[in-house]
Amino acid sequence: MTNPDMHSQASANLEGYDHGNLLTPTELTSLQDLVLTKVDDNYPKLQLYVSAVIFSAIAIGISLLITLVSPLELFSKMLALSIIIALVIGLSRLTYLKALTVCYGVFKDEFIMRQGLFWISTTALPYTRLQHVNLSQGPLERKYQLITLKCFSAGSGEAEINLPGYLLI
């Protein structure tokens, strides 16, 4: 419930500024109803490749340590290696699935980004708060014609929106 006195006081504080009419909560678009665009299809693939290489390198190091140094029996070593392989596959798959969730929307008054597999985060950056934009591209992103779009807001030293996997046109 909104207090009518607070509404008129807020309107009085905005004298001299023409921001349009104040919206009521029923006029706002629900976060679940937003139509967002997924990032380029190459981004999840790139994340899968990178995570698989990194996790495999770590797994190889641990596997070598287990097989060469460990005084375990052969069965125990094989079981440990099987668990490590399953972890590499599982973690790589989770990284891929998380990359599939990254989406964004460019609207009349704001830029919105949503991501997350288990904990879903939606960030809305009104254009009135947008300070500057930074585009970056690493060597692997360059191969797939992707960029990372970083949007900085006024009053913050860090990027408010860090959108990876944006297709370079």
Side-chain angles (χ1 to χ4, degrees):
M1 305 289 177
T2 60
N3 184 347
D5 292 333
M6 286 177 56
H7 188 70
S8 61
Q9 184 181 11
S11 297
N13 289 339
L14 295 176
E15 286 182 28
Y17 296 102
D18 184 19
H19 292 284
N21 297 329
L22 292 175
L23 298 176
T24 64
T26 56
E27 294 176 303
L28 297 173
T29 305
S30 169
L31 289 177
Q32 287 75 23
D33 296 335
L34 290 174
V35 178
L36 301 176
T37 305
K38 291 193 175 280
V39 294
D40 189 67
D41 291 337
N42 285 326
Y43 175 69
K45 293 176 196 173
L46 177 63
Q47 290 300 301
L48 178 64
Y49 300 151
V50 170
S51 66
V53 167
I54 291 171
F55 293 140
S56 296
I58 293 169
I60 288 170
I62 293 172
S63 299
L64 286 174
L65 191 64
I66 287 173
T67 55
L68 299 177
V69 178
S70 176
L72 297 174
E73 297 176 13
L74 181 62
F75 176 75
S76 299
K77 288 181 181 180
M78 295 305 285
L79 181 63
L81 293 176
S82 300
I83 292 171
I84 290 171
I85 290 170
L87 279 173
V88 167
I89 293 169
L91 290 173
S92 297
R93 177 80 174 149
L94 282 175
T95 302
Y96 174 77
L97 292 174
K98 183 180 182 295
L100 284 174
T101 67
V102 178
C103 53
Y104 65 96
V106 180
F107 298 98
K108 179 183 168 209
D109 297 320
E110 62 193 352
F111 184 77
I112 296 178
M113 179 185 162
R114 181 179 294 150
Q115 68 177 349
L117 192 56
F118 300 112
W119 291 272
I120 299 171
S121 170
T122 303
T123 305
L125 181 59
Y127 297 133
T128 57
R129 300 282 300 159
L130 184 62
Q131 190 74 25
H132 69 278
V133 176
N134 183 10
L135 301 174
S136 64
Q137 185 181 50
L140 292 175
E141 288 174 316
R142 195 172 305 117
K143 178 179 174 19
Y144 291 98
Q145 297 295 309
L146 300 174
I147 58 170
T148 298
L149 175 72
K150 296 179 183 178
C151 299
F152 295 84
S153 70
S156 173
E158 296 183 19
E160 292 289 329
I161 291 183
N162 190 3
L163 178 63
Y166 197 74
L167 181 62
L168 182 62
I169 297 174

